[in-house]
Amino acid sequence: MEKEVKYTTWVENATGIQGPAGSLDGELQVQVSSPLKPVAGTNPEQLVGLALATCLNATIEAEEKRRGYDHQSVVRVKSEMGPDTPGYQFWVTAYVKIPQVNRQTAQAILKKAEQRCPMAKLLGANPNVTIKLVDEFEEV
């Protein structure tokens, strides 16, 4: 399949784990920091979790609407980081709640969304990434 680009963005981090980072057009600017230090800022764990939550829920929304349902889905992502050899690794678990339909329909919607969502496709082959359908969210 030939590559057809619909959107492009450039982001940059020139400071490493602490300092400013963002898009080259200036639309997104964030302070980044290590989750292991008491310094204000966001971190890669939050960013990858938010990217998956946003992309997957937007794709679920499209499938809900295609099937004639109001958008009610919620995607909550737990991102964890721990030691690896060498360095560190992430474990990412997405919990998906689609409350307005029965479980079988929710499973079908989620399956279709996982097949269509670019972030789910990007991360889905990684054994450290799990996407789960839930009836209720666990307490955080």
Side-chain angles (χ1 to χ4, degrees):
M1 175 188 253
E2 189 174 324
K3 180 172 144 181
E4 179 185 344
V5 177
K6 300 276 188 182
Y7 173 77
T8 300
T9 189
W10 285 81
V11 297
E12 179 177 279
N13 178 315
T15 60
I17 196 62
Q18 187 171 336
S23 61
L24 294 182
D25 63 10
E27 287 188 25
L28 173 67
Q29 296 298 310
V30 296
Q31 279 295 117
V32 295
S33 67
S34 169
L36 303 177
K37 303 210 174 171
V39 178
T42 190
N43 56 60
E45 295 81 0
Q46 292 168 327
L47 294 170
V48 74
L50 187 58
L52 179 57
T54 301
C55 188
L56 185 57
N57 202 22
T59 308
I60 291 169
E61 179 182 13
E63 187 61 17
E64 286 170 321
K65 288 183 177 180
R66 189 186 72 75
R67 292 170 181 245
Y69 299 115
D70 290 336
H71 173 57
Q72 294 182 24
S73 64
V74 179
V75 178
R76 187 177 286 181
V77 176
K78 177 172 70 172
S79 297
E80 301 172 294
M81 185 261 300
D84 195 11
T85 305
Y88 292 97
Q89 64 180 315
F90 292 152
W91 298 277
V92 176
T93 306
Y95 298 90
V96 179
K97 183 177 173 181
I98 309 173
Q100 76 277 29
V101 297
N102 65 43
R103 189 159 185 85
Q104 183 178 2
T105 302
Q107 287 172 327
I109 290 171
L110 179 56
K111 181 179 179 183
K112 181 63 81 175
E114 286 184 74
Q115 294 169 348
R116 296 187 63 218
C117 170
M119 283 300 298
K121 290 192 275 188
L122 182 67
L123 300 174
N126 187 312
N128 289 6
V129 176
T130 305
I131 299 174
K132 297 180 177 185
L133 181 64
V134 298
D135 295 323
E136 295 297 329
F137 292 120
E138 300 173 10
E139 289 298 317
V140 180

